Amino acid sequence: MLQIKHIVFLVVFVLGALTAQAQVTFTAKVSKTKLGINERLRVDFEMNADGDNFNPPAFEDFRVVGGPNQAISNSYINGKRSYSKTYSYFIAPLRKGTLKIGQAEIIVDGQTYKTIPTSVEVVNAVKTPTEGNNAEFVAEDNVHLVAEVSNSNPYLNERITVTYKLYVSKDVSITSRWRELATPRYADFWSKNIDATGQFKTLEGKYKGEDYRYVILRTTVLYPQKTGELDIEPLTLDIPIDVPSTKRTIFGGRLSTRINKTISAGSRTINVKPLPFEGKPDNFGGAVGEFQFNVTASKTTLDANESLDLTTTVTGNGNLMTLTLPTVTTPSTLEMYEPERTENIRTRASGISGSISETYAIVPQYKGQYPIRPIEFSYFNPKTETYESITSQELVINVENGPITEAADSTVDENGNIGKAIVLSQDDFKYLKLDGDLSVIETTSFFKSTTFWALVGGPLLLIPLLILVGKKRDSRKADVQGTKLRKANKMARKYLAAAKKQMGNQTLFYESLERSLHNYLKASLQIETSEMSKEHIELLLVNKGVENTAVSNFVSLLKSCEFARYTPSSNVTIQQDYDKAVSTISTIDKQLK
C-alpha cells in the first residue's frame, strides 16, 4: 500500500514539473528592426517565470550604452497569479548591414531556456536620431494609417475602392477615441463613403512584414469623372496612443505614457485612362461596368386616347448614377411625354449596383398598329476592355378603337408617320342614337326672359374688363426683363422639383440636388457627365456670358453636394441651399447667351 502511494506521488510530481516547464516562455523583443547607424536600439528579454543565472548575448557589432534594467511584475487576478520579469538593454550599432543579436540564456527550475536570435538592419545615419526608449518615437513607429487603393490605373468612370486601415503594433495600445482632422474631398471623383459606423472589428495582419493589429476605418467607392493624373487627398487623424514605460506600479504593473500623434494616410495619385476610341458606338452614353438592358410596355393593346407606360431599364454594376439612358423614339402618331426617372441602387465596397429606369407616358391618337423600333444600349466593360451592346425587342402597339386613317385596315409606315389626310369612318358615330323619340320638356318662352337679357347685356359689361386685361397683358409683354425672370424661375423650379421632395432627408436631398444641377447643365450647355468637372463648368459658364457671382454660387452648390455626403446639415442649411439653387439657376438662365 505504501508503495502505491509513492508511485502516485511520483507521477503527480513529474506531471507538475512537466506542466511548469511547458508554461515557461522566454523571448527577445527589439524596439525596431531597422535603424540608422547613429541611432540606439532597445532589446527586452522577457520571461514569465523567475529564473537564475541570466546570461545576455555577446552583442557582437553593438556597443551596450545602457542596462541591464530589470523590471518585475507580480499580480493576482481572481486568484490566478501573473508573473513577468524583463531585462532591458540599450545598444548602439557599430557598423551598417544586417546585424544579429544572439541568444540569451536563463535557468528555471534547473532547465535552461534560450531566446531566438534576432536580426536588425542598420542603414545610413538619419538626420534626426531617435532613441529606442523615447515614447514619441515608439508611438510614431508603431501606429500607421494606410490608404489602400484597389486600382491605381482605372478607366474613366470605372469603379475603384479606397480602404483606410489603422495598423497598431502589439507594443502599444489605443484605448481612447481618435479624432478626424482632415477628410478627403475627392475632387474630380463621384464618391460614396461606406463608414464602419463605430463598429470596428480588430483583425490580424502584416505591415512591412511584421505582425500588427488593424481596423478598417472607412471604405470609399470612387468613380473618376475625368482622365489624367488625379490626386486623392489624405485622411488625417489625431490619435491618443498609450506607450508602456519602464516605470512600475507598487503592484508591479507597467505604467503607460499617453502620446497624441497626428498621422496621415498620405496622398495618392490615380492615373485615369480614357475610354478607347476604337469600336466606340455612336449611341454610347458613358456607361462603364456590366449591365443588362430591357424595354417593356405596360400594355400593347388599347383604345385611342388611352395611355400606356413604356419603361427603359438598365440593371447591373457600374456608374449607374452618371450614365445616360438611350432615348426612346416613337411614331409621330403617338403622343409621348417627358420620362419619369426611377432609381433603385445601393453602394457597397464592390461598387454601385441596382437599376435605373425611365418611364414614358404614351397616348395614341388613332386606330392602327404602331411599331416601336428596337432600342440599343451600349456600355464599356472594363474587365474585357471592349464595348458591348444590347438591343431590345421590337414592340408593336395595337390601337383597336378610335379615329382611323383612310384605309379601314389602318397601318402606318415604319416610322409611324401619316402622309395623307385622315378620313373618318362610320364607326366613329356608332355610339350616337339616330332615331330618337323626343318631346318638349319646358314651354317657358326664352324671348325677353332673364337669361335672354343676361346673354344680350353680358358681353357689353365684359368689354371694360377685357380692355383692362388686354392692357395688363400688353404691359407684361413689354416688360422683357420680367418675362425673362418668370421663365427663368419656372425653369429653375422645374429642375429642382425632385430635390424639393427630398428636403426631409439630407442624403437624398443633396443627391437629387446634384443630379438636378447636372441635368440643367446638360440641357443648357449640351455637355456630357464626363465633362462636368467644376473647372470646366466654370469656364463654360463664363464663356456663355454668365456673371462671376452666379458662376461662383453654382460651383459652391456642387461643393455643398459633395461635402454633404459625409458631414451633417441642418434643415435650415438644406432650405438655404435649395433657395440658393433656385436663385442661381434662375440668374444663369437669364444671362446665358
Side-chain angles (χ1 to χ4, degrees):
M1 186 70 180
L2 184 61
Q3 185 177 5
I4 294 175
K5 289 183 178 180
H6 289 167
I7 293 173
V8 171
F9 176 80
L10 180 62
V11 170
V12 171
F13 177 81
V14 171
L15 290 175
L18 291 175
T19 302
Q21 292 178 4
Q23 293 177 345
V24 174
T25 60
F26 185 39
T27 59
K29 296 180 180 180
V30 294
S31 59
K32 51 187 172 181
T33 58
K34 185 176 181 180
L35 68 157
I37 195 169
N38 58 336
E39 292 184 290
R40 296 197 308 175
L41 179 71
R42 188 184 78 244
V43 185
D44 293 332
F45 300 98
E46 289 187 9
M47 64 203 75
N48 66 345
D50 196 7
D52 302 316
N53 300 325
F54 171 73
N55 187 20
F59 292 119
E60 298 177 0
D61 300 321
F62 292 92
R63 177 170 56 90
V64 178
V65 295
N69 299 325
Q70 181 176 322
I72 297 176
S73 173
N74 193 6
S75 62
Y76 288 87
I77 301 176
N78 296 327
K80 186 177 180 180
R81 183 191 181 207
S82 176
Y83 178 84
S84 172
K85 178 187 279 188
T86 304
Y87 291 92
S88 299
Y89 288 83
F90 295 93
I91 57 178
L94 299 176
R95 64 180 179 86
K96 294 187 294 183
T98 302
L99 307 185
K100 184 177 180 181
I101 299 174
Q103 293 179 311
E105 298 180 359
I106 196 168
I107 299 175
V108 179
D109 297 330
Q111 180 72 33
T112 301
Y113 294 89
K114 298 181 179 181
T115 61
I116 298 174
T118 304
S119 296
V120 296
E121 183 181 358
V122 180
V123 297
N124 293 326
V126 297
K127 184 176 181 180
T128 306
T130 54
E131 301 294 336
N133 62 336
N134 185 281
E136 290 279 349
F137 160 70
V138 174
E140 182 174 349
D141 200 45
N142 288 274
V143 179
H144 309 278
L145 181 61
V146 178
E148 296 182 356
V149 179
S150 62
N151 184 4
S152 60
N153 189 27
Y155 281 102
L156 179 69
N157 272 318
E158 180 183 1
R159 186 268 309 170
I160 63 174
T161 303
V162 182
T163 304
Y164 295 94
K165 295 182 179 179
L166 181 64
Y167 285 89
V168 182
S169 77
K170 297 181 180 179
D171 294 332
V172 298
S173 60
I174 298 175
T175 56
S176 298
R177 185 70 174 175
W178 52 80
R179 184 166 56 94
E180 197 167 300
L181 298 179
T183 302
R185 290 182 297 174
Y186 309 111
D188 302 317
F189 292 90
W190 186 96
S191 62
K192 183 74 173 181
N193 287 328
I194 305 174
D195 290 321
T197 63
Q199 303 297 323
F200 299 107
K201 183 179 180 181
T202 303
L203 305 171
E204 298 289 334
K206 294 280 187 181
Y207 178 80
K208 294 185 177 180
E210 297 184 10
D211 292 329
Y212 271 77
R213 299 161 295 169
Y214 72 91
V215 293
I216 297 176
L217 302 181
R218 175 184 302 162
T219 300
T220 303
V221 178
L222 302 176
Y223 286 85
Q225 298 300 294
K226 61 185 295 187
T227 59
E229 291 187 352
L230 306 182
D231 292 328
I232 296 179
E233 297 179 356
L235 172 67
T236 304
L237 304 177
D238 177 69
I239 301 180
I241 305 170
D242 295 329
V243 181
S245 67
T246 57
K247 298 179 180 180
R248 300 279 178 167
T249 65
I250 59 175
F251 301 104
R254 179 174 291 185
L255 295 174
S256 296
T257 302
R258 174 158 294 181
I259 303 296
N260 275 74
K261 297 295 294 183
T262 299
I263 61 175
S264 173
S267 61
R268 300 294 299 271
T269 299
I270 307 299
N271 186 20
V272 183
K273 299 177 292 187
L275 298 178
F277 181 78
E278 182 179 356
K280 185 177 182 179
D282 293 336
N283 64 343
F284 179 67
V288 177
E290 295 181 276
F291 303 101
Q292 297 82 44
F293 177 66
N294 192 26
V295 179
T296 58
S298 60
K299 52 187 173 182
T300 56
T301 302
L302 70 165
D303 294 336
N305 293 320
E306 289 184 358
S307 67
L308 64 92
D309 291 335
L310 185 70
T311 304
T312 60
T313 305
V314 172
T315 306
N317 191 311
N319 62 325
L320 290 168
M321 290 295 294
T322 58
L323 63 81
T324 302
L325 286 170
T327 303
V328 174
T329 302
T330 59
S332 60
T333 50
L334 298 180
E335 185 177 356
M336 183 172 67
Y337 296 88
E338 287 294 321
E340 179 181 349
R341 187 181 178 98
T342 303
E343 298 176 353
N344 181 20
I345 61 177
R346 53 193 175 275
T347 305
R348 298 174 178 170
S350 58
I352 297 176
S353 61
S355 64
I356 60 171
S357 61
E358 289 183 347
T359 301
Y360 298 80
I362 297 177
V363 180
Q365 301 297 310
Y366 306 107
K367 178 180 179 180
Q369 291 184 336
Y370 304 93
I372 297 179
R373 312 306 297 176
I375 302 172
E376 187 178 57
F377 172 73
S378 300
Y379 64 94
F380 179 77
N381 190 333
K383 292 184 178 180
T384 61
E385 297 187 339
T386 57
Y387 291 96
E388 300 179 12
S389 298
I390 303 173
T391 303
S392 67
Q393 297 292 326
E394 181 180 74
L395 298 176
V396 178
I397 307 301
N398 184 23
V399 183
E400 293 184 334
N401 298 310
I404 61 174
T405 58
E406 60 178 347
D409 184 14
S410 177
T411 59
V412 294
D413 63 16
E414 62 178 6
N415 295 320
N417 298 320
I418 301 175
K420 298 182 179 181
I422 297 175
V423 179
L424 302 180
S425 70
Q426 294 181 354
D427 292 339
D428 295 311
F429 302 97
K430 62 183 180 181
Y431 300 110
L432 299 179
K433 188 174 182 181
L434 302 178
D435 49 348
D437 184 11
L438 305 177
S439 60
V440 177
I441 299 176
E442 193 172 324
T443 58
T444 304
S445 174
F446 173 71
F447 184 67
K448 293 184 179 182
S449 65
T450 304
T451 304
F452 172 80
W453 291 115
L455 293 176
V456 172
L460 298 176
L461 296 175
L462 288 176
I463 291 175
L465 180 61
L466 293 175
I467 293 173
L468 182 61
V469 171
K471 289 182 177 180
K472 184 67 174 177
R473 183 186 61 183
D474 293 340
S475 176
R476 286 173 62 90
K477 286 183 177 180
D479 184 10
V480 177
Q481 191 66 23
T483 302
K484 287 185 177 180
L485 178 61
R486 287 188 292 274
K487 289 184 177 180
N489 286 335
K490 183 178 180 181
M491 177 69 70
R493 297 186 186 280
K494 171 187 175 184
Y495 278 99
L496 296 171
K500 186 175 182 181
K501 295 178 181 178
Q502 305 294 344
M503 292 183 69
N505 186 311
Q506 176 192 337
T507 302
L508 295 179
F509 169 76
Y510 280 104
E511 288 180 356
S512 298
L513 179 61
E514 183 178 33
R515 187 163 54 252
S516 299
L517 295 175
H518 284 179
N519 288 338
Y520 172 72
L521 290 178
K522 287 182 182 179
S524 301
L525 303 180
Q526 287 78 47
I527 61 174
E528 295 298 327
T529 304
S530 58
E531 301 176 87
M532 287 189 184
S533 68
K534 289 185 281 295
E535 296 80 4
H536 188 55
I537 291 171
E538 188 172 358
L539 180 61
L540 284 177
L541 291 175
V542 171
N543 291 338
K544 290 287 187 178
V546 180
E547 294 179 355
N548 291 333
T549 302
V551 174
S552 299
N553 289 339
F554 194 91
V555 173
S556 68
L557 283 171
L558 293 176
K559 290 181 180 179
S560 296
C561 293
E562 294 177 2
F563 294 155
R565 296 194 181 102
Y566 42 79
T567 55
S569 297
S570 64
N571 291 334
V572 175
T573 303
I574 291 175
Q575 182 64 48
Q576 290 175 349
D577 285 341
Y578 173 77
D579 295 338
K580 183 178 180 181
V582 173
S583 174
T584 301
I585 292 180
S586 176
T587 302
I588 292 175
D589 207 58
K590 289 189 299 179
Q591 297 177 1
L592 282 175
K593 294 181 179 179

